């Protein structure tokens, strides 16, 4: 954090943000930056219908400290789309443990995804559309970085 604060003071960066810190680390980062006269502007955690860890304490921490929140991965790395509905291809990114949360590949989660897909279809939406609408209807985070790799993930069913 000290190095980030120094970069802001030197004009090499305009703002400081963090990603995927828990509540305690967020508070610690905030205090370090504050002591250097640099505000902690934004936190970017992962957040989706399947990954709601920020609801426990992080959102309250961010509100208490006046830090904004822009969540990423509202489609749970593509799982909340039609992409993996019929299984995960051997060459898919989801098969590489380094870039995909393997916890999301359990039979229990896959069954939940299929059930959510049925709900979305009954609403006349794709699963991806419903997942994004769910996130947009929450009071926080205020914004999402969607970042899907394929343009058609959010197309209607």
């Amino acid at each position: 954090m000290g190095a980030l604060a120094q970069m802001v003071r030197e004009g090499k960066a305009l703002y400081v943000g963090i990603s995927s810190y828990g509540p305690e680390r967020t508070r610690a980062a905030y205090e370090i930056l504050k002591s250097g006269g640099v505000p902690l502007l934004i936190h970017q955690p992962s957040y989706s219908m399947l990954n709601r860890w920020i609801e426990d304490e992080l959102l309250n921490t961010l509100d208490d400290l006046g830090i904004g929140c822009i969540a990423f991965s509202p489609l749970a790395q593509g799982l909340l789309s039609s992409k993996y509905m019929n299984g995960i291809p051997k060459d898919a990114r989801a098969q590489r443990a380094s870039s995909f949360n393997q916890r999301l590949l359990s039979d229990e989660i896959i069954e939940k995804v299929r059930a959510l897909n049925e709900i979305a279809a009954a609403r006349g939406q794709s699963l991806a559309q419903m997942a994004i609408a769910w996130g947009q209807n929450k009071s926080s985070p205020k914004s999402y970085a969607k970042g899907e790799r394929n343009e058609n993930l959010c197309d209607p069913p």
Side-chain angles (χ1 to χ4, degrees):
M1 288 302 124
L4 292 173
Q6 184 66 29
M7 290 178 69
V8 171
R9 285 192 299 274
E10 291 175 359
K12 295 178 181 175
L14 296 176
Y15 309 105
V16 173
I18 57 176
S19 180
S20 302
Y21 280 33
E24 299 81 21
R25 285 185 68 201
T26 297
R27 285 187 185 281
Y30 173 86
E31 291 301 329
I32 292 167
L33 291 167
K34 182 179 175 185
S35 71
V38 175
L40 176 53
L41 187 69
I42 199 77
H43 189 299
Q44 187 178 22
S46 60
Y47 184 57
S48 71
M49 295 171 84
L50 299 176
N51 180 10
R52 299 174 67 174
W53 71 277
I54 68 173
E55 293 175 0
D56 292 333
E57 295 178 47
L58 183 61
L59 290 176
N60 288 336
T61 299
L62 297 177
D63 284 344
D64 291 347
L65 300 176
I67 300 170
C69 182
I70 298 177
F72 70 91
S73 200
L75 299 181
Q77 296 176 278
L79 199 56
L80 291 172
S81 72
S82 59
K83 187 174 183 178
Y84 302 125
M85 202 61 61
N86 296 314
I88 300 164
K90 295 290 182 211
D91 62 343
R93 186 173 55 106
Q95 294 288 2
R96 296 189 299 266
S98 63
S99 67
F100 195 91
N101 184 346
Q102 296 297 301
R103 181 188 63 78
L104 295 175
L105 299 178
S106 71
D107 291 340
E108 177 185 352
I109 296 291
I110 298 299
E111 285 306 310
K112 287 180 181 180
V113 168
R114 288 187 178 126
L116 288 169
N117 189 55
E118 290 177 18
I119 293 168
R123 294 168 46 118
Q125 295 177 301
S126 70
L127 177 54
Q129 289 171 326
M130 186 175 79
I132 290 171
W134 174 86
Q136 290 174 334
N137 284 319
K138 307 295 271 178
S139 61
S140 191
K142 301 297 184 209
S143 185
Y144 281 88
K146 284 190 343 184
E148 70 266 3
R149 295 176 191 268
N150 300 315
E151 293 177 22
N152 62 348
L153 280 183
C154 294
D155 287 348

